[in-house]
Amino acid sequence: AKGCANTPVVLQVPGMAVTLGRAPIDQLPSTFHIATFTSASNVTVHLPDSLRSVLRRALGASGVVDVVTAVLPGPFTEVVVLSFWDPVGGQKVPVEGLLDPIVLAFPAATADLYQPVPDWYLCTYEAAGQWAPEGLWLAATPSALLCHTTHLSTFTVEPVVGIEAVEGCPMAAAPAALFCPP
């Protein structure tokens, strides 16, 4: 990303989009969007103020950070990668144990949801080649599943249960409608 100033560079290869951007730490937006493959909506990322303190301590006097995002199609929602890098030393900045969480809002449209129900899904991150939910928590709005995390990694949302049919219920019923009237 050398010489790209504040203009993001987008690299697209089949099945993956990577965005590289450089910004002064104090000018990092509190909210930004990552384009997805399967929806007109984007994954929205909300950065807490405490993240800026972590980046300032790690990067010292430079005051500038490279932001790298990547999106890959996933089995349920997209797989989203978010990381920060030292533009001088070329090292990844470790982000973990934040006081306030980073929130990734996965649009319900990307998950083919009728209405998000948090108990039916898990936010997961990649750990040693496996998907793990530890340290993440999920909330839902009518339009999105919200993954809360205090560290950075590779994230996705996975269903906890899969229902193919409920006897006596039309499959057009919303996922939370397990009780079907007679």
Side-chain angles (χ1 to χ4, degrees), residues 83 98 171:
S83 59
L98 293 174
M171 285 315 295

Side-chain angles (χ1 to χ4, degrees), residues 4-68:
C4 68
N6 294 329
T7 305
V9 175
V10 178
L11 307 171
Q12 290 188 337
V13 296
M16 182 169 67
V18 178
T19 302
L20 310 165
R22 180 169 289 166
I25 294 168
D26 292 331
Q27 293 178 19
L28 279 176
S30 294
T31 301
F32 64 92
H33 306 284
I34 302 172
T36 62
F37 290 99
T38 59
S39 171
S41 299
N42 299 315
V43 171
T44 303
V45 178
H46 302 277
L47 301 176
D49 290 335
S50 59
L51 175 64
R52 287 175 185 75
S53 298
V54 169
L55 294 173
R56 276 190 217 96
R57 277 193 305 275
L59 299 172
S62 79
V64 176
V65 65
D66 285 343
V67 182
V68 178

Side-chain angles (χ1 to χ4, degrees), residues 76-77 104 106 108 111 113-124 133 136-148 156-162 174-177:
F76 188 67
T77 64
L104 293 97
F106 289 86
L113 300 172
Y114 291 99
Q115 65 185 75
V117 181
D119 293 346
W120 288 44
Y121 306 98
L122 281 177
C123 293
T124 58
L136 305 179
W137 63 100
L138 180 108
T141 68
S143 60
L145 292 169
L146 309 174
C147 289
H148 295 75
T156 193
V157 174
E158 295 184 333
V160 175
V161 291

